[in-house]
Amino acid sequence: MALGRLDIRAVRNLVGTSLVDLQAANVFYGENGGGKTSVLESVFILAMARSFRSAQIKPVINHAEDECVVFGELQGPSGQKTAVGVRRNRSGGFEAKVGGSAVSSASELAENMPVQVINAQSFELLTGSPVDRRRYLDWGVFHVEQLYHKAWRRFQRSIKQRNSLLRHGKISSAELASWNQEFIETGEQIDALRKAYLAQLVPSFTSLLERLSPGLAATEVRYRRGWDAKSNLGEALERSEKADREQGFTHVGPQRADLKLLLDGHDAGATLSRGQQKLVVCALKLAQGQVLGGQRDLPCIYLVDDLPSELDSEHCQRVCEVLSELPAQVFLTCVEPDDIARHWPEQPAMFHVEHGAIERIA
């Protein structure tokens, strides 16, 4: 499924926009501040019911409006169309429909339209906290492993209840044990699903990174599951119980997992240049789309903001070539039209964006 049509109302300076006959590759160019990134943001809202630029929805809505609306038509390989619409208001209200049926949660919406963002914030995969890398990992497992979301929800409930008991201080071992069992069962299930996913992701990542930059192909991905590798989760939880009770939270488990990226034994985020970091991040994101396309035959939608920044012409060309080969639809932004068009193997759809107005050029 790919977006064939996109209607945007009141997303930042895009007051009323309708884009039709969208292609596999769509380039939006123009001066900064014109609204290019807001187009990408609108696609993300359609897929996730939130922005990738702001934790709050209020700044996203045009100041003259009370709500923003994004509507799209997903087109299947045989020509079938599925309507998707999302409405958000200033108070945080959320309304979404897929194929005419109401959707009650963002996770249900996300299942229909896997979307990936490559922008300046993506560097946090290397330089940010473990939370950023867990979010990246869980995005992929969620879309590939059907059992994952249910296990993750059960785990979140168990750790919330366990931590609540720990914060109260005086609790019996029997009371704590009732939640420990659920925590252990779902925690080890999450760990197993993450490992199975990484077994597919890492070879894809390595292969793609070798194409983008052979000198970085030796970059190693290490998974740290959140407790001692020589113990099962039950044993680790038992050893940490004293510290858990004293400090009021759970010290071990998949909620503390991390991915470490190393080159020649050194932290990639600390030693690589900005351009090299971007290539590693691109390989991580592109690998997820490759795995998803091969596993579920579900194309990913990539939102790539200002791809040419930090990359020389040769490496920009390589990223474009890989993107064009993936089973994916791509929305890209740049300042000058040739910044992307000259690197793309075939002519992409071109849109000029200025002061919130979008004009199709090619």
Side-chain angles (χ1 to χ4, degrees):
M1 303 286 279
L3 271 175
R5 174 177 175 173
L6 181 66
D7 295 343
I8 307 166
R9 181 165 69 81
V11 175
R12 300 194 189 268
N13 64 341
L14 303 177
V15 178
T17 298
S18 183
L19 305 175
V20 297
D21 193 27
L22 294 168
Q23 302 299 303
N26 306 275
V27 176
F28 298 84
Y29 70 92
E31 296 298 322
N32 293 330
K36 306 185 303 292
T37 304
S38 299
V39 177
L40 308 190
E41 187 176 24
S42 299
V43 177
F44 194 83
I45 291 170
L46 189 64
M48 301 291 291
R50 60 180 177 84
S51 166
F52 62 77
R53 299 166 72 186
S54 171
Q56 302 296 322
I57 196 64
K58 188 180 291 187
V60 178
I61 301 172
N62 185 279
H63 62 84
E65 302 287 342
D66 294 324
E67 63 181 19
C68 66
V69 179
V70 184
F71 171 83
E73 280 186 350
L74 291 171
Q75 296 182 348
S78 59
Q80 74 273 24
K81 296 181 179 180
T82 302
V84 181
V86 173
R87 184 189 307 271
R88 296 297 309 267
N89 59 43
R90 289 189 175 276
S91 62
F94 159 78
E95 181 184 347
K97 289 185 177 182
V98 176
S101 300
V103 172
S104 59
S105 67
S107 60
E108 186 180 351
L109 187 66
E111 289 178 359
N112 298 278
M113 195 173 156
V115 63
Q116 284 271 29
V117 179
I118 299 177
N119 64 356
Q121 292 173 307
S122 300
F123 286 95
E124 294 175 359
L125 271 176
L126 296 181
T127 60
S129 72
V131 173
D132 301 301
R133 290 180 287 277
R134 281 197 299 274
R135 188 178 295 119
Y136 161 82
L137 175 59
D138 289 341
W139 185 96
V141 188
F142 168 80
H143 283 289
V144 170
E145 300 287 353
Q146 294 184 348
L147 298 175
Y148 188 74
H149 187 54
K150 183 179 179 180
W152 185 86
R153 289 181 64 182
R154 286 176 58 201
F155 175 78
Q156 291 298 318
R157 181 169 178 263
S158 69
I159 193 172
K160 181 179 179 180
Q161 294 294 333
R162 189 177 193 274
N163 286 343
S164 178
L165 289 172
L166 292 169
R167 285 193 296 270
H168 282 85
K170 295 181 180 180
I171 54 174
S172 68
S173 296
E175 192 176 13
L176 192 61
S178 66
W179 286 109
N180 284 354
Q181 183 176 354
E182 178 81 348
F183 178 90
I184 293 166
E185 179 183 335
T186 56
E188 291 192 332
Q189 185 180 10
I190 285 171
D191 177 56
L193 291 172
R194 284 173 172 173
K195 286 179 179 176
Y197 174 71
L198 284 169
Q200 301 175 70
L201 180 77
V202 172
S204 179
F205 163 74
T206 301
S207 175
L208 288 170
L209 190 55
E210 185 168 14
R211 284 190 61 185
L212 297 182
S213 181
L216 298 176
T219 301
E220 182 183 359
V221 181
R222 291 186 185 176
Y223 170 59
R224 296 181 179 178
R225 62 180 183 173
W227 68 93
D228 185 357
K230 297 179 180 179
S231 305
N232 61 45
L233 184 52
E235 293 167 343
L237 200 63
E238 185 177 350
R239 287 197 299 269
S240 73
E241 183 173 328
K242 181 180 178 182
D244 292 353
R245 286 176 177 269
E246 289 175 350
Q247 299 182 38
F249 69 94
T250 306
H251 286 74
V252 298
Q255 79 283 1
R256 298 181 68 85
D258 195 6
L259 292 177
K260 301 299 291 184
L261 284 98
L262 306 172
L263 183 60
D264 298 328
H266 301 288
D267 180 7
T271 58
L272 298 181
S273 70
R274 190 74 169 173
Q276 289 174 319
Q277 288 180 16
K278 186 161 187 174
L279 291 170
V280 172
V281 166
C282 284
L284 285 169
K285 297 274 190 168
L286 296 175
Q288 286 198 318
Q290 193 172 68
V291 171
L292 183 59
Q295 187 78 0
R296 289 188 55 195
D297 194 25
L298 183 62
C300 185
I301 294 178
Y302 279 96
L303 309 176
V304 186
D305 196 23
D306 198 11
L307 177 63
S309 67
E310 287 103 12
L311 294 181
D312 58 28
S313 179
E314 178 185 355
H315 289 100
C316 189
Q317 172 95 24
R318 292 180 183 181
V319 174
C320 287
E321 288 174 354
V322 172
L323 271 170
S324 70
E325 295 169 7
L326 286 178
Q329 186 177 31
V330 191
F331 294 79
L332 309 101
T333 69
C334 57
V335 176
E336 298 295 335
D338 284 347
D339 289 346
I340 297 294
R342 64 193 173 102
H343 297 303
W344 208 263
E346 297 180 3
Q347 176 64 48
M350 302 292 297
F351 301 85
H352 181 234
V353 186
E354 185 176 19
H355 304 309
I358 303 176
E359 179 186 4
R360 184 161 188 161
I361 304 299

